[in-house]
Amino acid sequence: MSGIRTEPERGLAPVAARPEGEYRQLINVAYRLLGSLAEAEDAVQEAFARWYAMSGPQQEAVEAPGAWLTTVVGRICLDVLGSARARRERYVGEWIPEPLPDTTEWLNGRPGDGGTDPADRIALDESVDMAFLVVLESMTPAERVAFILHDVFRYPFTELATIVGRTPAACRQLASSARRRVRAAREPEPPTGLQAQVIKAFKQAWEAQDIAALVGLLNPDATVVVDGGGLVGAALRPITGAGEIARYIVAIGDMAPGMTLQVSSVNGRPGLVARRGGTTVTVAAFGLADGRITHIWAVRNPEKLQPWTE
């Protein structure tokens, strides 16, 4: 990876002029806080814009630029999260966090090119698992910031207090409340190998339009959530029940001749990518428990599929 990236359209100095580790860290923080790669990049660029707007003496007075930038990114993300709730009330249909590819393609053996896309710099661990990101969406902005920065990135509560604008004790309570939400919502994670087997079987059953096989792979109370953003066709409400989901899946195949399916890594877990005419049209992430699919999060909004373009 070259680590060189210029952004002349933003009026910023090249990324090479700032430590690569800070940019990577900030993108990782912002994506987990916002659930959107595009918004995360905007937040990081805004933080750097504020840094470069400072005079040389002002910059030299900052003992730890990385910590300063993280604080600024945290505050920007807190503001974005506050306004996002109102925006999502106007969003057409269901809203799902933006899915991330794994450019190393663990399943298909296609190595990434080490490009400079921000998606290449997201560490694909359990804190970007789609199920985890969905739980984060249920938190208040302050809970989410306190939890991510403390539990995932190990920031002390004294530093969090300056970001959230509350006392360290209040930040501790916010993180504790968020932690309870995560424990209550998360299911035991099956081994990656088993997940891949189930998703591969699901793909084959979908391609064969085998309703019985699909039902057998789904938990009886499974749920599908589809995000089209009002830009493409998508179910506006969650679909629940193995039979209903199986029939919906088969109907999609009937309406989209020529669509191809590929098992691929989605946010670090086995998922499915659907393409038609060489264009990625759907990226699906899965939640599993006891060897069956409990949740499917299908993103069809083309604005959220930019990292998946070949």
Side-chain angles (χ1 to χ4, degrees), residues 17-221:
R18 59 212 189 222
E20 158 103 1
E22 290 179 9
Y23 180 75
R24 180 188 295 273
Q25 173 83 347
L26 293 171
I27 284 289
N28 274 275
V29 168
Y31 174 75
R32 287 161 175 79
L33 289 178
L34 300 176
S36 165
L37 186 61
E39 290 182 349
E41 189 176 15
D42 286 344
V44 172
Q45 289 175 337
E46 172 61 23
F48 276 116
R50 295 183 188 183
W51 171 260
Y52 289 118
M54 294 165 56
S55 66
Q58 288 175 320
Q59 292 179 358
E60 291 172 4
V62 177
E63 294 184 4
W68 185 92
L69 286 164
T70 300
T71 297
V72 173
V73 165
R75 289 172 178 165
I76 292 170
C77 290
L78 188 63
D79 290 341
V80 172
L81 287 169
S83 63
R85 296 207 161 195
R87 284 187 286 113
R88 287 172 194 171
E89 288 178 359
R90 301 190 298 270
Y91 194 81
V92 178
E94 299 291 324
W95 190 94
I96 298 175
E98 184 177 338
L100 287 179
D102 180 355
T103 54
T104 61
E105 288 292 338
W106 62 270
L107 196 61
N108 300 301
R110 189 182 70 194
D113 61 4
T116 56
D117 192 291
D120 296 350
R121 306 188 183 191
I122 302 292
L124 296 175
D125 58 27
E126 64 179 8
S127 65
V128 295
D129 173 49
M130 186 61 74
F132 184 80
L133 293 177
V134 169
V135 175
L136 294 180
E137 289 296 315
S138 69
M139 300 179 183
T140 67
E143 280 179 334
R144 186 166 182 167
V145 171
F147 175 71
I148 290 296
L149 288 180
H150 179 266
D151 282 42
V152 178
F153 293 97
R154 303 303 178 190
Y155 273 75
F157 290 117
T158 52
E159 292 185 23
L160 279 174
T162 65
I163 297 174
V164 181
R166 306 192 189 188
T167 65
C171 290
R172 186 183 300 275
Q173 291 178 340
L174 287 169
S176 178
S177 173
R179 212 173 292 125
R180 286 194 296 270
R181 290 178 187 258
V182 171
R183 283 198 297 264
R186 297 206 74 182
E187 299 169 330
E189 190 73 29
T192 301
L194 175 59
Q195 294 179 57
Q197 291 175 13
V198 173
I199 304 310
K200 183 178 180 181
F202 185 85
K203 168 185 176 290
Q204 293 171 340
W206 188 350
E207 291 172 332
Q209 296 188 311
D210 188 336
I211 290 180
L214 288 169
V215 169
L217 292 165
L218 292 160
N219 181 285
D221 298 320

